[in-house]
Amino acid sequence: MTALAAAHDALRNVDDPEYPGLSIVDLGLVEEIEERDGVVTVGLIPTFSGCPALKMIAADVAEALTERPEIDSCQVEWLPAPVWSTDRLSDLGRQRLARDFTVVLRRKDGTLRCPVCGSDTVRDQSMAGPTRCRSIAWCDSCRNAVEVMR
Ligand SMILES: [Zn+2]
């Protein structure tokens, strides 16, 4: 396996610390993977700047890469652009966020669809979520609290 293929492979196994079982690839954090003279450089996009998870993700990526015998050394960078949006989520990422973490994605028009029952009766409850990245909303139909990914 080439160093580049090994890097792709390794990144698939790096989970976001906030969403165990969901890889940073499916979350759309990986923007570029390059290899030059045995050094693999990975460019990541933060989902939300200032997230405390960022340091952890970079460390996990570096660890996953250096564990591969094909990769001599690596660099992990956070890129200032492009800006992350929910469009970057893979289909699997979307499904798993909704099903396993009851995370709802805000539509372009600002409305919310309940990830549990699928109704449009989700309303924002407070801006204070588990982390600064997310907020909690409430579904009037199934009476579940859901997390809104901003
Ligand atoms: Zn619901």
Side-chain angles (χ1 to χ4, degrees):
M1 193 183 278
T2 65
L4 207 53
H8 278 271
D9 205 38
L11 291 173
R12 287 229 146 258
N13 293 314
V14 177
D15 289 351
D16 187 290
E18 310 228 352
Y19 302 107
L22 198 51
S23 80
I24 59 170
V25 175
D26 282 316
L27 282 169
L29 268 58
V30 180
E31 173 65 12
E32 55 186 39
I33 309 173
E34 287 170 1
E35 191 254 308
R36 190 180 294 174
D37 301 328
V39 180
V40 170
T41 304
V42 174
L44 301 172
I45 298 176
T47 44
F48 313 94
S49 54
C51 241
L54 295 188
K55 262 187 195 154
M56 216 186 297
I57 293 170
D60 287 350
V61 167
E63 193 185 326
L65 291 173
T66 48
E67 271 175 5
R68 305 294 301 230
E70 299 91 340
I71 299 171
D72 297 335
S73 63
C74 68
Q75 278 184 319
V76 183
E77 298 168 354
W78 289 104
L79 305 174
V83 173
W84 186 89
S85 78
T86 51
D87 294 341
R88 296 180 62 91
L89 291 164
S90 71
D91 287 342
L92 179 72
R94 268 167 222 279
Q95 286 165 15
R96 295 223 41 212
L97 278 175
R99 194 189 63 207
D100 300 341
F101 301 100
T102 59
V103 169
V104 63
L105 306 178
R106 196 177 293 280
R107 293 195 187 112
K108 291 237 168 12
D109 63 3
T111 59
L112 299 167
R113 182 172 176 271
C114 178
V116 182
C117 69
S119 75
D120 286 323
T121 54
V122 175
R123 60 188 159 85
D124 289 301
Q125 192 174 41
S126 80
M127 293 309 279
T131 71
R132 289 166 58 94
C133 311
R134 293 168 293 175
S135 63
I136 297 295
W138 181 260
C139 176
D140 284 332
S141 291
C142 66
R143 310 192 68 74
N144 272 302
V146 298
E147 260 182 51
V148 181
M149 196 179 247
R150 291 185 211 155

